[in-house]
Amino acid sequence: MAPALDGALAAKSGPTVSHPLDPLTAEEVVRAGDVVRRHFGPGADLMFETIELAEPDKAVVRAHVAGAPIARTARFAVYRRGATGVWTGRVDLADGTVAGVAFLPDARPMISPEEFLRIEAAAKAHPDFQAAIARRGIARMDRVCVDPWTAGNFGVPGEENRRVAYTFVWLRLGEFDNHYAHPVEGLNVAVDVDTFAVLRVDDHVSAGRMPAVPVPMAPGEYDHALLARFREPLKPLDVVQPEGPSFTVAGNHLRWDNWDLRVGFSGREGLILHQVAYTIDGRRRPILYRASMAEMVVPYGTPEGVHYRKNVFDSGEYGFGKLANSLALGCDCLGHIHYVDAVVNDLAGAARTIPKAICIHEEDAGLAWKHFDFRSNRTETRRLRRLVVSSITTVGNYEYCCYWYLYQDGTIEFEVKATGIINTAACIPGAPQPFGTEVAPGVVGHIHQHVFCARLDMEVDGPANSVVECDTVALPMGPDNPMGNAFRVVETVLATERAARRRVDFAKMRSWKIVNPGARNAVGKPTAYRLEAGSAIQPYLDPEGPSGRRAGFIYNHLWVTPFAGDERYPAGEFMNHSTGDDGLPAWTARDRPVENADIVLWHSFGLHHLPRTEDYPVQPRVTCGFKLMPAGFFDRNPLIDLPPETNRASRAAGDAPSCCG
Ligand code: CO
């Protein structure tokens, strides 16, 4: 059983640490920053990319008992402004010692939120940029918006061995105007993010590399202060929980129905789920040791101009957690909400708290199961609920809303709702757009994808798991299949890393099971969960191209590795300007055994985005994700014991209020 909870909803997770997997508190971040600064000596130029919890070994975590002392260690990545390379290491937060310091001369840190507006200011202060803006007839520099895109690794002369942003430009017509409606085409600035020196102003129009394209000036507003009219609002639809929600929170430990788990958060990944387990028949059964969305990349598909440089790893190059929103009650979150604040580090090595970064609530999930017996005229119906743990990140023009759902039937689902503003470029109105859609006159949205990679550290009924590929095949007609109806599942254990580099196959209705060979269900089969890869997508980046090389994880939908604490991110630890030498393709080339072992699943999935006029000026959310479903994990429908209930607040049209009070 899970450790006892105090049952109180009290509570903000305060500054106290009650478990080895609790994220660093603000005090711990500050202490780690102080220790690291002392270690590297005086100087204001020490910059902190990352201070985060160094998760203890699994054995330590599993052996932890409530109330026992907890050894706390922070992991750091720091650099000196203006010098290349990154130092990594660990801080023992109890004795203030630094250990395991390594210098990575080729690593370049991610771009921090504090650097966004400094990059813009550097570009706007440069006389060549000012001249290019003036040539376009734009009078007010204060209305020019310069977005700090990561620069990739394209071998551009002058950018070598630097940390560079390659910017794109838009024009804001008023204080709340949607500047993405007004792209300024053919003007880009390469800015050194360490020194804020402008390396190059590229005016592709004046250089004769492309024709002049007018800045589209029609408004594309979404701010309510600027929208002229609203439709009649619908009547209120309130989520009322008169007795409060059914989950309990103690620190970062969450318990709801038969589930319990720990909620974590990091500046790089955002939401993390730890130690997800389901208790049935008095037995707490582990499923996931740790789950997160560990990387993502957005390749754009046009070779026109310099748009090929748009190939951004929003997680590894900026930090999904660092860019998390503070959520708004009644807007982002509906119902009875428990919020958790997130703590990340800033560039100076101090703590930055993002209030209400994590939303926890429960939702009705429709029907759970039903049967009507036409002989006895009896009906049994049960409704389903899910627990939702969510967080929303804004990366420049775009919003990624991440939802983990735990259903009462044992299903775990991850969903990304993508919304925000599509990335825009200017075009000649009406001109053919082979690589995009003209979403408004003179505004084009280019074809692109959003490819995510989930890191799923599995422990189905314990640490030793295997992955089994399940292909459904039809038998040829013949003596064994005289009527031509026969089809069956062929199961193959994926025994090594190379064998476990897999892609979906619709012709075989392929799926994958994570089994525990040492645990049996009521019919003698290994207990298992199944990965439902419902959003697998086909990549179009050439794997040998400068962007494809850095995004190796997108070329397989499934990868399996033996657990290694330093294999955390599928495209590598340091993504900014990466070469592609680190990450899943390199790790799995070793072909380590992954059968009946402590394994990590990596699932690549995403959105294939052909922009629509309906995506403009702001995109209605589109979704992608995956499910982990019990498949032989339980001995029967785990919802058979749901009590028969009727929701008394529901009423039929024309009924008098039926509530019995
Ligand atoms: Co998109």
Side-chain angles (χ1 to χ4, degrees), residues 398 448 450 609 619:
Y398 224 60
H448 63 277
H450 306 255
H609 196 171
Q619 174 188 314

Side-chain angles (χ1 to χ4, degrees), residues 298 300 398 400 418 422 448-450 607 609 619 622:
V298 193
Y300 283 78
Y398 224 60
Y400 296 103
I422 60 166
H448 63 277
Q449 298 185 311
H450 306 255
L607 291 162
H609 196 171
Q619 174 188 314
V622 289

Side-chain angles (χ1 to χ4, degrees), residues 21 76 94 227 327 438:
L21 292 174
F76 67 83
L227 291 173
L327 300 172
E438 191 172 355

